[in-house]
Structures are given as structure tokens and as C-alpha cells.
């Protein structure tokens, strides 16, 4: 299983919107609608921000939204805030009760 | 309140064995999968494998099969990750998390991570 491909870094100004892509294959992202996204500040536990492509857990801001087209899933952060500066990882079901993470994206605000 | 508390940092020499733990509370431990995730220094998250404490069913990533062993003790609501013979390349932070399943998995509660350092 190869990691899903994400851009190494994305930046934006406060208030802007940014989109992070997550590209896999027809065996993972393209085959299933089970992509989740995690925010990971260094030295902290990762935090779930989206699951099943676009579902937000309770307590997660609606500034985070998700979508998928073909083999690529996307995370959009609207109204960028300084506290959004973090690493972001996608994760997709890959069949056989296994999952694969993306390469990670560093968001700079 | 759901809590995941992982065992403390470990320093080991190459060739030594190690077992780290992930103690859970606040939910029905046997009924949810537990995932283990590795983060090597300066690198991203890697999905290692997943265990269902209810029947100890384990699914390993091909990259980790044969390299580690996952287990769980329902009597103490704790999951374990162990190595028989560590290598320097096992130096990493290891996270456990609860896996919710809607066919695929997503990970809603995480431990704080265990830092494992393997050095001679």
C-alpha cells in the first residue's frame, strides 16, 4: 500500500479559503467513500475533523468541509484562522479492513 | 468520558524486545477496533494495523506484518503493541486510537503517543 499523495504545504491568509488534495488510486480513495481527515499539531494527539468524506464529528467547526471526485478527496478550510496552522492528514479505506494515510500537508496561516 | 492513556517513553538497544500499552476507559472496550499508528521522526502518519478486542481479530498493514504484534486484554481494557527484536528504524512515536466503523474506519479518540527510541 502506497501512501496517498498530498501537497507538502499549503498556505493562506486569515479569512481566506484553502483546499488540500488527497490523491489515491482506484483501490482506495476511488473505490470507497471512506476518507477521513486529521489535524495534527506537533507533540499532540491527532484530531479527527472529517469522516466518510464530508461528515463532521460533534464539536468540529463547519469551516472544515470535504469532497471527493474520482481518486482524489479534498479538504477545504474556509475562513482560515491562525489556530488552523497545523499538519493535516487524509486516510482512506483500502479494503480488507486496512487503511492508508496520506503523506501529510503543512498548513501555514 | 472516553480516555486513552499510553505508556511512557522507552529507550531500548537494538535487538531488545518491547511491549507498549494503551489503556482505555469510558466506553465498551471489546466493541470497538483499536488502531496503531506510527510517526517516524520528521515523517507522516503510517497505519500499522488494527485489532478488535472482542475476539482479538487483527489486521496488519503489509508493511508491518511480521514486524510487530498487536494484542488486547479485555479484563483491563488495554491494547498492546510489541516487538521481539527492535531495530534503530523502529524509533518513532506510536499512537493508539479508537476506530469507529462505518464499513471503513475513522479514529475518534487518540492516545497521547509513546516515544520509542532505539539506539546503541
Amino acid at each position: 500500500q502506497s501512501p496517498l499523495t498530498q501537497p507538502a504545504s499549503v498556505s493562506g491568509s486569515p479569512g481566506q479559503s484553502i483546499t488540500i488534495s488527497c490523491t489515491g488510486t482506484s483501490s482506495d480513495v476511488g473505490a470507497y467513500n471512506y476518507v477521513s481527515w486529521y489535524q495534527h499539531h506537533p507533540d499532540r494527539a491527532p484530531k479527527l475533523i472529517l469522516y466518510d468524506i464530508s461528515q463532521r464529528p460533534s464539536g468540529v467547526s463547519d469551516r472544515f468541509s470535504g469532497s471527493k471526485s474520482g481518486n482524489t478527496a479534498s479538504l477545504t478550510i474556509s475562513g482560515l484562522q491562525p489556530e488552523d496552522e497545523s499538519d493535516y492528514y487524509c486516510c482512506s479505506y483500502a479494503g480488507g479492513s486496512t487503511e492508508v494515510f496520506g503523506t501529510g500537508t503543512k498548513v501555514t496561516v | 468520558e472516553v480516555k486513552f492513556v499510553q505508556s511512557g517513553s522507552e529507550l531500548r538497544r537494538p535487538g531488545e524486545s518491547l511491549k507498549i500499552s494503551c489503556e482505555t476507559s469510558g466506553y465498551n472496550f471489546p466493541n470497538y477496533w483499536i488502531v496503531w499508528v506510527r510517526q517516524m521522526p520528521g515523517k507522516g502518519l503510517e497505519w500499522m494495523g488494527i485489532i478488535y478486542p472482542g475476539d482479538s481479530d487483527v489486521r496488519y498493514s503489509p508493511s508491518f506484518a511480521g514486524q510487530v504484534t498487536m494484542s488486547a486484554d479485555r479484563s483491563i481494557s488495554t491494547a498492546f503493541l510489541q516487538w521481539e527484536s527492535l531495530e534503530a528504524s523502529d524509533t518513532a512515536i506510536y499512537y493508539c486510537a479508537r476506530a469507529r466503523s462505518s464499513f471503513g474506519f475513522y479514529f475518534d479518540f487518540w492516545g497521547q503517543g509513546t516515544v520509542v527510541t532505539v539506539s546503541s
Side-chain angles (χ1 to χ4, degrees), chain A residues 1 32 34 36 38 40-41 43-48 50-52 87 89 91 93 96-103, chain B residues 33 35 37 39 43-47 50 59-63 93 95 102-108 110-113:
Chain A
Q1 289 171 331
Y32 307 99
Y34 301 113
S36 52
Y38 302 86
H40 188 206
H41 292 284
D43 299 325
R44 290 195 220 169
K47 176 186 176 183
L48 174 69
L50 291 175
Y51 66 96
D52 292 356
D87 296 326
Y89 292 88
C91 185
Y93 185 66
S97 297
T98 65
E99 302 263 335
V100 59
F101 278 102
T103 50
Chain B
W33 294 81
V35 67
V37 175
Q39 184 174 36
K43 303 297 185 181
L45 303 178
E46 298 175 269
W47 193 89
I50 200 161
R59 312 293 172 91
Y60 293 102
S61 162
S63 301
I93 301 174
Y95 294 99
S102 58
F103 188 83
F105 296 100
Y106 56 95
F107 318 121
D108 58 353
W110 292 70
Q112 82 279 17

Side-chain angles (χ1 to χ4, degrees), chain B residues 22-93:
Chain B
C22 172
E23 182 179 352
T24 77
S25 61
Y27 74 99
N28 196 0
F29 179 70
N31 289 5
Y32 293 82
W33 294 81
I34 297 282
V35 67
W36 287 95
V37 175
R38 181 176 80 174
Q39 184 174 36
M40 298 176 73
K43 303 297 185 181
L45 303 178
E46 298 175 269
W47 193 89
M48 300 178 68
I50 200 161
I51 181 168
Y52 189 72
D55 59 7
S56 293
D57 185 12
V58 182
R59 312 293 172 91
Y60 293 102
S61 162
S63 301
F64 292 92
Q67 307 305 309
V68 297
T69 300
M70 297 176 189
S71 61
D73 186 336
R74 293 191 299 274
S75 69
I76 54 173
S77 298
T78 300
F80 301 95
L81 179 66
Q82 68 181 86
W83 295 258
E84 293 301 319
S85 180
L86 287 160
E87 301 177 0
S89 57
D90 293 316
T91 294
I93 301 174

Side-chain angles (χ1 to χ4, degrees), chain A residues 19-42:
Chain A
T19 296
I20 302 169
S21 61
C22 168
T23 301
T25 69
S26 56
S27 297
D28 39 60
V29 176
Y32 307 99
N33 289 325
Y34 301 113
V35 176
S36 52
W37 288 89
Y38 302 86
Q39 180 188 64
H40 188 206
H41 292 284

Side-chain angles (χ1 to χ4, degrees), chain A residues 55-73:
Chain A
Q55 301 303 302
R56 275 188 308 276
S58 174
V60 172
S61 171
D62 59 4
R63 297 186 298 104
F64 295 93
S65 61
S67 63
K68 192 192 94 167
S69 178
N71 295 339
T72 298

Side-chain angles (χ1 to χ4, degrees), chain A residues 81-95:
Chain A
Q81 297 182 0
E83 59 263 35
D84 298 331
E85 188 160 293
S86 185
D87 296 326
Y88 291 83
Y89 292 88
C90 60
C91 185
S92 173
Y93 185 66

